Amino acid sequence: MIVNYLSLSVILFCLGLLGVISRRNVFTVFMSIELMLNAANLMFVAVARLHESMDGHVLALMVMAVAAAEAALALAVVILLHKHKGNLDTNVFSLLRG
Amino acid sequence: MISTLLFFGFSILAVAGALGLVLLRHPMNGAMSFIITLISLAGLYALLSAKLIFAIQLIVYAGAIMSLILFIIMFLNIGEKDLPDESGRWLYFIGGAVVITPLAMFLLKVIGRVPGGDAQIVGNGFGSVKGVGSVLFQEWLLPFEVVSILLLVALVGAVVLAGKREDRA
């Protein structure tokens, strides 16, 4: 039963990874990263149920807080990128070269 | 078993939403299908008797973060001309799937060996606000406070970045 949840988590994580490496739209890449964080959360909660310990729930809360902070910063960067370059291509990020 | 049916329904919805996120071209359509994934993950948390995580998933993820993302997508007013040229993306999908499939097979093989993957009776207060909160404030107090500093730094950084004046840029 728990193995089904863990398998679903692995499938969602690999879909998120596929989205990160194959898309060029900034928003889609960003939401794929969120999908990977959610897959990790599902793994935490399922293992917490398996071991009947609530530390996994606390870790899932921490991951959600990190995801919220990441959303705030990444969306600010996307707005800046759109203002300066006028498009949403991840290749534009090559301007971060030193 | 009603819980098995619910699990398969929610997991099919979650995988379908994730596929929509990865495959759809416009980010608005991707965000809408990602919301389906988030809500079905909340249902899965409820099936795992994680009551607090269920509520927070709905409120924070499907509510706050996704409405922020949708607001930014609408704020930038993305049309067809703003989207990057992704004509070769099917090639990237196939190549990425070829790369990722061995990783996925390995991970599935590893988690197939997790001992005791059967249903257990869990206590009445498992995953409730009281249970999670007492663990959070007794054993995870320092990480909790560090998270508050992280959120403050992210808030200040977002204001500094997005509110930048043009003359200084």
Side-chain angles (χ1 to χ4, degrees):
Chain A
M1 168 211 170
I2 297 290
V3 173
N4 291 341
Y5 289 92
L6 300 183
S7 309
L8 177 65
S9 165
V10 168
I11 290 169
L12 288 180
F13 188 86
C14 289
L15 278 175
L17 203 57
L18 187 61
V20 169
I21 66 176
S22 69
R23 296 300 299 267
R24 283 173 57 191
N25 196 319
V26 179
F27 280 108
T28 308
V29 170
F30 170 63
M31 284 188 287
S32 299
I33 294 172
E34 298 276 334
L35 178 63
M36 289 160 77
L37 288 172
N38 268 293
N41 265 347
L42 181 62
M43 182 80 84
F44 278 136
V45 175
V47 175
R49 170 69 193 270
L50 178 65
H51 289 268
E52 296 190 30
S53 128
M54 272 177 276
D55 289 337
H57 293 185
V58 179
L59 278 171
L61 283 179
M62 300 285 168
V63 171
M64 282 181 192
V66 171
E70 183 222 346
L73 275 182
L75 290 175
V77 169
V78 166
I79 289 178
L80 257 166
L81 195 72
H82 191 263
K83 208 193 292 179
H84 281 249
K85 295 285 179 178
N87 65 5
L88 294 165
D89 201 331
T90 47
N91 290 348
V92 176
F93 275 111
S94 63
L95 94 165
L96 293 177
R97 277 182 309 197
Chain B
M1 281 295 271
I2 189 77
S3 69
T4 312
L5 277 179
L6 278 176
F7 169 76
F8 282 108
F10 280 137
S11 52
I12 287 169
L13 275 179
V15 172
L19 278 176
L21 167 66
V22 176
L23 295 178
L24 289 177
R25 181 163 151 74
H26 199 282
M28 184 63 92
N29 300 340
M32 287 301 181
S33 56
F34 187 43
I35 289 178
I36 296 176
T37 299
L38 291 174
I39 293 175
S40 37
L41 277 175
L44 288 174
Y45 294 152
L47 281 180
L48 284 168
S49 69
K51 309 178 187 75
L52 180 63
I53 302 293
F54 160 72
I56 291 180
Q57 171 85 9
L58 280 182
I59 295 169
V60 174
Y61 248 119
I65 295 182
M66 286 316 288
S67 61
L68 180 64
I69 292 173
L70 286 179
F71 172 73
I72 298 294
I73 291 175
M74 288 190 277
F75 174 73
L76 294 180
N77 196 12
I78 298 168
E80 276 295 320
K81 61 177 174 36
D82 295 321
L83 296 176
D85 172 38
E86 288 182 312
S87 52
R89 65 184 162 135
W90 293 107
L91 201 64
Y92 285 108
F93 280 136
I94 295 168
V98 168
V99 172
I100 288 177
T101 304
L103 176 72
M105 299 305 286
F106 172 69
L107 285 175
L108 289 175
K109 195 173 168 60
V110 167
I111 63 172
R113 296 192 183 159
V114 169
D118 223 2
Q120 295 120 339
I121 307 293
V122 289
N124 212 5
F126 183 77
S128 65
V129 180
K130 187 180 174 188
V132 178
S134 66
V135 173
L136 179 63
F137 288 119
Q138 281 170 9
E139 298 169 25
W140 293 82
L141 187 58
L142 183 65
F144 182 70
E145 298 294 337
V146 171
V147 160
S148 70
I149 297 175
L150 172 74
L151 287 175
L152 179 67
V153 169
L155 181 68
V156 174
V159 170
V160 168
L161 278 178
K164 208 171 180 179
R165 296 284 173 272
E166 279 299 328
D167 50 347
R168 280 199 299 126

